[in-house]
Amino acid sequence: MTGVLLHAGHVTRRFGAFVAVDDVSMQVRPGEVVGLLGANGAGKTTLIRMLLGLIAVTSGRVDLLGGPPDRERRRRLGYVPQGLGLYGDLTVRENLTFSARAYGTAEPALPPALKAYADVLVRELPLGAQRQVAFLAALAHSPEVLVLDEPTSGVDALARAALWDTIRAQAERGAGVLVTTHYMQEAQQCDRLLLMADGRLVAEGSEADIIGSTTAVAVRTGDWARAFAALAAAGAPVMLAGRAIRVANADPAGLAGVLEAAGIEASLEPVPATISERMLMLSRQAKAP
């Protein structure tokens, strides 16, 4: 595993009878951004917590920076959890001072956008500013591995773009980055994708690799609500973006028959599938008996 910064080998985690992560193998190398994608509850956070040694594996093996994820190896890690890992009753400056002393580094300089918040309690900050502080704390010691659990959740498009600029900069200096997200459009920001569904790793590769030859059907109709309900009732993997209906991996003739039987006029057009639609198909397959 030369050059591998994060590694999971056939990792499983059970909570009683519930299998949260089921026989997953993956790795992250220096200089790459690996996206761990999946719906809420797919097992992403549980996998991360095992990789970092925060919870034990039920079976399998995890390695961080060439060995078990112990305290010394975690000092070479930058981690931003979903909850951000900040102390709400401390100011921005106090949080950064505490983090710097924990890692034995100098306190990072505040960027212009955060200087006005230096003496403000973190719990009183807007979410976007809290995420910036969490990133500063995680990056101050120039970590070799950066693990980000839903780092852009709940922030606006501009803030998401800025955070992704930071992520790419870390990879360019040689860090390996593992980032989880349920925003499928962020897949294009990653060098490689790992897709999880129902606790399993169901696909791996680039966005184009994962979509492959999967297609979709665009359904255009003025009666979109009834059309959606009719197709869903027929078991079609239907998705709705605004009032636009799309059905992944479907036969246009079969869909037309469903709509005709429901008395709905519509035009149907085969179109390339999106990563979200491919994910929906893979999730269905993972849940199938």
Side-chain angles (χ1 to χ4, degrees):
M1 293 190 296
T2 302
V4 176
L5 301 177
L6 280 175
H7 174 261
H10 299 287
V11 167
T12 294
R13 172 67 196 201
R14 295 185 179 90
F15 295 95
F18 175 67
V19 182
V21 174
D22 188 1
D23 193 27
V24 170
S25 296
M26 51 76 66
Q27 61 184 25
V28 178
R29 294 182 177 275
E32 69 172 347
V33 178
V34 177
L36 183 59
L37 276 61
N40 290 333
K44 305 186 301 296
T45 296
T46 300
L47 176 60
I48 280 180
R49 290 176 63 80
M50 287 190 291
L51 285 167
L52 303 186
L54 301 178
I55 58 174
V57 301
T58 302
S59 63
R61 177 183 174 89
V62 295
D63 289 283
L64 169 65
L65 293 161
D70 57 20
R71 181 174 297 180
E72 286 306 309
R73 289 187 176 91
R74 284 199 293 263
R75 290 176 66 87
R76 299 155 62 191
L77 163 82
Y79 176 40
V80 179
Q82 284 190 37
L84 300 181
L86 300 172
Y87 296 93
D89 56 351
L90 297 181
T91 67
V92 168
R93 194 189 312 277
E94 288 168 340
N95 268 277
L96 294 176
T97 298
F98 177 83
S99 178
R101 289 179 179 175
Y103 283 105
T105 62
E107 182 180 328
L110 286 171
L114 289 178
K115 284 185 177 179
Y117 296 125
D119 298 312
V120 176
L121 295 180
V122 160
R123 66 168 176 259
E124 297 175 0
L125 297 181
L127 180 57
Q130 290 186 30
R131 293 202 179 278
Q132 290 183 58
V133 175
F135 265 65
L136 271 179
L139 300 177
H141 59 297
S142 299
E144 298 167 57
V145 182
L146 185 60
V147 178
L148 309 169
D149 196 0
E150 303 281 0
T152 62
S153 179
V155 300
D156 60 37
L158 187 60
R160 285 205 304 271
L163 290 175
W164 272 102
D165 283 346
T166 301
I167 292 169
R168 291 302 329 179
Q170 295 307 304
E172 287 169 5
R173 71 168 177 80
V177 183
L178 179 64
V179 54
T180 77
T181 179
H182 61 269
Y183 292 118
M184 296 301 166
Q185 65 270 32
E186 293 187 349
Q188 296 176 348
Q189 303 278 359
C190 301
D191 301 312
R192 185 161 52 85
L193 301 173
L194 306 171
L195 266 61
M196 289 189 70
D198 202 30
R200 304 174 198 165
L201 188 63
V202 294
E204 179 176 1
S206 68
E207 182 178 15
D209 291 337
I210 291 171
I211 293 174
S213 60
T214 304
T215 60
V217 176
V219 180
R220 297 179 175 87
T221 175
D223 200 355
W224 60 270
R226 278 210 310 135
F228 182 90
L231 294 170
V238 61
M239 300 186 74
L240 190 63
R243 296 183 179 184
I245 297 173
R246 292 171 61 100
V247 187
N249 199 34
D251 172 29
L255 299 181
V258 171
L259 295 172
E260 184 178 354
I264 300 169
E265 293 186 5
S267 64
L268 290 82
E269 178 187 4
V271 294
T274 65
I275 189 71
S276 297
E277 288 158 350
R278 180 60 178 155
M279 185 68 199
L280 175 61
M281 295 302 303
L282 292 169
S283 296
R284 285 188 164 215
Q285 292 170 14
K287 294 178 182 295

